[in-house]
Structures are given as C-alpha cells and as structure tokens.
Amino acid sequence: MFGDQHVESSGGAQVSMRLQRRFLERAGHTVTIVAPRLHARRVDDPAYLDLPSVPITPDREYAMTVPGRRTDRRLDLAMTGRPPVDVVHVQADFWGAVIGHRFARRHGLPVVHTMHNRVDVGIEATAPFPKLVLRMLNLWAGRMLGPVRRRRIAPSSEDRTEMLRPRDDSPTRIAPRGRDGWAYLRMLAEGADAVTAPSAHFARRLEQHGVFPRVDVVWNGIDDEILDAALDRAQVETQHPSRPRLVWVGRMSPEKRLLPFLRAVIESKVAADIEIIGGGGQRRAARRIVEAVTAPTGVEFAGRLPYAETLRRIGAADAVVQTSIGFETQGMTVFEAASLGTPAVVCDPDIAAELGSGYWAVADASTTALARALGAAAADIVDGTSPRPDAAVAEAFRQSSRTAAMLAVYDRAISLSRGRRTAGGS
C-alpha cells in the first residue's frame, strides 16, 4: 500500500489503512505500507517502509517525500528483502500516488487505486490561487508519470477526446489531459487496473467525470471488535443528562467548516453540551469564537483522542454533527455514528442521501440553516423523538465485510494484469 502520510499520523485515510492492514493479515496476507517517515514521534513496525521525508506542518505530524529517481532507487532497494508483490494498492492523491504508480509501472504490477479525496474542493478550501495550483499539479504529475497510457475510460460530456481502435476493435478513448482536479484524478487512474471509492456518491462523480469507467464502492469500515465493544457500552450507558449532548469530530481546517458550525451554535442559542474532538490549524480561532460570547451552550475541546475512545464518545452522544459540504468522499463519522445508533445533523446532501435515515438535514450552506437544524435536533432529543439510524448500517460497516469486498477487487485487478501480459506475449 502507498499513502501520502504515515499511517500512524492523524487522519481518516490513515485509520482506514491501518485497519485494512490488520484484517488483511488476519486473512493470511502480507502487507507493506510505504509512506513518508513520521517526524512527530518514533514508530517501529516491520510492515512500515518509511521513505525519507521533510515535515510540512509546524507540529511535524505530516510530511512529504519527493518523488523521483532517487526515491525510486531507495524504494526498490528496500523492497528487495521483502516477499514478492502481487498487487499495489495506492491510497494517496499526491506524492504517495506518484511514487506508488511509478513503482508498479517499473515492476509490471497490477494497481488498485482508492480515491479518498476531492482534490479540487480541498485545494480550493486551503490554497491561494487554487486554479493555478491545480494547473501546476497537473503539469507536475504529467511529468512524473510520463506519457498518457491508453485505456478504456467512461465518456464525459465535457471531454473532447480522440477515438481510437485497440487490438480488439472495441472503441476506447485517450484520457483527456486538463487543468482541473478531475483531470488530475484521471491522470492518476490511467495506471490503475481498478479504482475504488468509499461511497456511492463519490464513485458516481468519478465515473461522470471520466476518471474510470467502473468505480467499485468499498466503504471504509470499523474494526469488528471495537464496534461490538462500543455497541455494548452504548446499550449500558442509557441515562442521559437533561441537556442534549452533541459531538463534532474532525480536522480543524477550513474545508471541515468548524468555525461556521461554532457560529451557528451561538446563533441557535441551543441549550446543549457540545464536544469538539480533533486538532488542527483552526483550533485557536475556534476557541476565540467560543470565548468571545456568553451562550447557553457548553463547548468543550477534547483534542485528539484514540480511535476507540472517539467511538465511545460518539456512541454516548445524542447526536453527531457533520458540517463539511462537497469535500467528504464518504463522511466516515456519520456512518460510525449510525453503526452505534447515534443520529446525525448532516450538512452535505450527498452524505445524507447515502446515509438514508437517522439524520436531521441542513437546508443549505448558511449559518442560519445550520442553527435551525441544531435547534430542531435539540428539541427532538429532549422530546425523545430523534430519528433512528438504519440498524443494517452496522453490519455493512464491519471491516471484515469491507476486507472481503476489497480482496475481490484485488483478484480482479490481478486477473486483468495477467490477461494483458498474456496478450502482450502472444
């Protein structure tokens, strides 16, 4: 597996990769995770292949490895003492993706690429001059990954592409190069034998923009044992305080919309206790918003917590609040909450549609709409009329079932790769 960040750093993709590794090893497979070396703390694990890196955040939690021939040589040398590779699983969007695809191409290996992020939305929320950044990102990736690889892709009404006839006379298209986030994801997918996404709505968007013709939906899951333990605790912790308890979980960055959430809390004047779990660059700004006013709402900043403890608090809450819009490719927290029987206040309509039940919908992206939804949720909680999540989500979300689904994707990618090698040799 290849990641942009070390799997022991904070982040949903990193949590998912650690979980995937554990369940794949339980099924008898060998997993090597290639990522930039972590600078914030020392981690010793034989499954981790740490590449030389430079820190890119003040807390040294995140780092970058520069792709290129030097990194290629270091990686190939480090892999010589490990078992042969059957499949490369890229779970990265930037340097990790480029390094992983270059490795697979050098060694003729099949690639499964999991698209975890909306690159365009993330860059627009965090970078100045996002169009220029995306243009430079496309140019950089094109240089690092080499010429376009011809493969079958889904047609898009926005694409102007040249039609070709491959050896089997079936029509295919040249993957269009461009300057936006979708063009960048198309470029990464050119080297993949299979592409997966953690939600149906993101898979649909990837297909609509011509990233890949058929994107497999494989949810990020929850550790079966942790889920069972959290469910047991949630059944025991039945006594609720007189005030509703809401929890917000995530990285404190602009695309997560923590600051608009806190402003909505103040506007709503809701009498509730709210716990903020996570860390990030907007922590001070968030505290300033809370400290600047006197409100009936109690807000506590819990900081980063271990995963099992975060699940425990989600299970003990009356509701979780999901605030990002258009950025999440799954919206992990609301599915974790639904698995534990906790309803959610949901801002993103795509996530609400996939969740299906057990939520309060926020009408639009305004602070006022979120304030109204918070007030409605608090009133329903006090009245005992909260919406109930679908109990089937818990079973579908277990990591054991997600690993089985991903193994089927691996098998198909390996078969496709073998078929190409056989056809090439005939």
Side-chain angles (χ1 to χ4, degrees), residues 246 257 260-272 274 297 319 321 323 344-347 359-381 387:
L246 310 182
R257 298 181 69 240
F261 166 58
L262 293 174
R263 295 187 185 105
V265 168
I266 293 168
E267 181 178 330
S268 72
K269 297 182 173 63
V270 64
I274 296 178
T297 310
V321 184
T323 50
V345 176
V346 182
C347 289
Y359 65 90
W360 295 270
V362 180
D364 55 53
S366 67
T367 300
T368 298
L370 180 51
R372 289 173 180 165
L374 292 171
D380 288 347
I381 291 166

Side-chain angles (χ1 to χ4, degrees), residues 11-12 15 246-253 256-258 261 274-279 300 302-307 309-315 317 319-324 328 331-334 336-337:
V15 170
L246 310 182
V247 62
W248 184 97
V249 182
R251 183 174 61 254
M252 296 180 182
S253 54
K256 298 292 187 176
R257 298 181 69 240
L258 171 61
F261 166 58
I274 296 178
E275 185 173 37
I276 308 296
I277 299 174
E300 177 187 351
R304 293 188 175 100
L305 297 175
Y307 182 58
E309 177 61 17
T310 299
L311 285 184
R312 189 195 72 77
R313 297 195 186 193
I314 290 173
V320 301
V321 184
Q322 181 277 323
T323 50
S324 63
E328 307 292 346
M332 185 83 169
T333 302
V334 297
E336 290 167 335

Side-chain angles (χ1 to χ4, degrees), residues 125-161:
T126 58
F129 310 109
K131 290 184 179 180
L132 177 61
V133 172
L134 284 168
R135 181 178 181 180
M136 297 304 296
L137 188 63
N138 275 280
L139 290 172
W140 169 77
R143 186 176 73 252
M144 297 303 299
L145 293 173
V148 177
R149 170 181 167 183
R150 297 180 181 182
R151 64 159 178 82
R152 197 183 311 273
I153 68 167
S156 169
S157 60
E158 298 178 359
D159 297 338
R160 296 180 179 179
T161 57

Side-chain angles (χ1 to χ4, degrees), residues 201-248:
H201 70 263
F202 189 43
R204 183 175 66 250
R205 283 203 173 119
L206 290 167
E207 292 170 351
Q208 289 171 346
H209 286 84
V211 173
F212 209 73
R214 173 193 167 191
V215 178
D216 292 275
V217 179
V218 183
W219 284 2
N220 295 324
I222 302 178
D223 187 307
D224 296 34
E225 289 82 1
I226 292 177
L227 176 58
D228 288 336
L231 285 169
D232 290 341
R233 283 193 298 267
Q235 291 171 1
V236 172
E237 296 174 359
T238 55
Q239 293 187 358
H240 288 256
S242 58
R243 289 158 57 93
R245 295 179 297 179
L246 310 182
V247 62
W248 184 97

Side-chain angles (χ1 to χ4, degrees), residues 31-116:
V31 180
T32 297
I33 300 179
V34 182
R37 182 173 71 86
L38 185 65
H39 293 262
R41 53 198 166 275
R42 183 186 177 102
V43 178
D44 292 314
D45 190 311
Y48 298 159
L49 198 165
D50 297 347
L51 295 174
S53 66
V54 292
I56 57 174
T57 55
D59 62 1
R60 302 171 67 85
E61 182 76 8
Y62 303 109
M64 173 184 179
T65 293
V66 179
R69 293 180 180 176
R70 180 178 297 180
T71 296
D72 292 343
R73 289 194 296 269
R74 283 179 177 270
L75 175 58
D76 289 347
L77 180 62
M79 288 297 296
T80 56
R82 294 175 181 260
V85 177
D86 296 304
V87 64
V88 171
H89 189 172
V90 175
Q91 304 199 55
D93 302 294
F94 301 107
W95 44 88
V98 170
I99 293 167
H101 279 287
R102 285 168 65 100
F103 175 79
R105 185 181 299 182
R106 288 195 305 279
H107 299 281
L109 296 168
V111 177
V112 174
H113 193 129
T114 294
M115 301 284 182
H116 279 289

